[in-house]
Amino acid sequence: MNAAVAAPTEDLLRSTCRREHPHCFACSDPAEGGLGLRFNIGPDGGVHAGWTPPPGCESYPGLVHGGLIATLLDAAMLHALFARGVAARTGELRIRYRNPVCIGAPITIHAWLRRQCGALFELEAKLRQGASLCAEAGAKFMRQPGVDEPADVPAAAQLMLPGRVCFDPIGVIRSEHQRPERTPIQPIYAAGCRGRVELRSEFAAGLDDLAGFSHLYLIYHLHQAGPPRLRVKPFLSDVERGVFATRSPDRPNPIGLSLVRLLAQRGAVLEVEGVDVLDGTPLLDLKPFAPRYDAVENPRGGWTDEIDEQTARCRGRREFCPPAGYVGDPPEPPVLP
């Protein structure tokens, strides 16, 4: 998340809505021609509202017009941004109609922020009537600079305003690690931990010619990272360090990097070892390790050189133990089938 985006609160929801949408069709009073929806913040940080479609909202007899359903879903997602103090405009809206919505029966609408990439926000919403999922939507909203930004935007946030860059994951990383606090830190402390890199099928041809490489760099989105910080306490140290002198996940751009051993390839799936990554982590890219290019002479590890190996190994493994019988890396990498 961008540091300039606040956590959702009812006060932000109401004040941003009043400021940005004083005559909103979805939430204005019915006496003023609106639908009278009132959104509230749920336990998951998203927003929800209830409404009963009255006569006059029909397309086919007894059924709510599809255009009105789209309006409700779009409004819900926008209010999920209002709850964070964000003013934005809809850039893309995708709707899937699953079941008809009947006139006169209560509906519930739920919307939440899926992810943020700079000024671009991706949201999702669902509309239900009783136990039936009637429609769901995904949308991209573009933030409007100068509308919702406070006058004294923090310097760290100002640095992020120009030049947004967004990425779509090319796959997902699978591992045994389900909780961040139990996941080993750095591949060297995840010895023996196997996992899979599952690429989307359209990228499978990009894996050609990997045979012969023993290791890969995985570049991924740290999707469960905390808020970005410029001073952190890394796992090896009890002293605060500058975040760019560490590999802490709580970075302005939460991007992770791991060097893992390549064991085998099966179509668009890579079997790897030394995985220090949470299960379900979005993969952004992968690159082969090439000793000719990646090895350096006389390397220095900065403050990490001050930490003894026993302390580093104990803290780095956390609760992870190599599998029984694991004796280290094989002397030669296997040839990919």
Side-chain angles (χ1 to χ4, degrees), residues 209-218 257-262 286-297 333:
D209 305 309
L210 272 182
F213 288 100
S214 64
H215 291 77
L216 299 172
Y217 290 108
L218 303 182
L257 175 70
S258 293
L259 180 63
V260 299
R261 175 173 286 275
L262 175 60
L286 58 85
K287 299 177 186 291
F289 173 82
R292 174 177 293 176
Y293 311 128
D294 296 337
V296 296
E297 296 183 1

Side-chain angles (χ1 to χ4, degrees), residues 310-335:
Q310 183 177 357
T311 299
R313 187 173 299 275
C314 179
R315 292 192 178 191
R317 281 184 175 174
R318 289 179 169 171
E319 298 179 24
F320 172 76
C321 293
Y326 181 79
V327 294
D329 293 336
E332 295 292 336
V335 177

Side-chain angles (χ1 to χ4, degrees), residues 120-210:
L120 184 69
F121 297 84
E122 294 185 13
L123 292 98
E124 294 182 4
K126 293 183 184 294
L127 186 151
R128 298 179 183 274
Q129 193 163 54
S132 176
L133 175 60
C134 298
E136 54 188 343
K140 294 180 180 179
F141 289 78
M142 183 61 67
R143 189 173 194 167
Q144 300 299 298
V147 177
D148 61 304
E149 295 284 359
D152 55 342
V153 179
Q158 291 181 19
L159 293 174
M160 298 180 185
L161 294 180
R164 309 295 182 172
V165 179
C166 297
F167 296 98
D168 288 323
I170 63 171
V172 66
I173 303 171
R174 296 297 181 187
S175 77
E176 66 184 69
H177 310 305
Q178 301 295 324
R179 297 172 57 182
E181 66 273 15
R182 294 186 176 181
T183 303
I185 301 172
Q186 304 304 321
I188 191 173
Y189 303 124
C193 180
R194 295 194 174 191
R196 302 188 312 278
V197 176
E198 300 175 353
L199 262 70
R200 287 160 47 185
S201 58
E202 62 264 38
F203 299 118
L207 298 176
D208 293 348
D209 305 309
L210 272 182

Side-chain angles (χ1 to χ4, degrees), residues 17 21-39 49-58 64-76 79 101 103 107 109 127:
C17 185
H21 271 205
H23 308 294
C24 174
F25 170 67
C27 56
S28 292
D29 191 278
E32 300 175 358
L35 300 179
L37 271 68
R38 182 174 177 84
F39 290 94
W51 186 61
T52 300
C57 297
E58 295 175 312
V64 176
H65 195 288
L68 180 56
I69 294 172
T71 298
L72 295 172
L73 292 166
D74 181 61
H79 280 76
V101 181
I103 295 292
I107 65 172
I109 315 154
L127 186 151

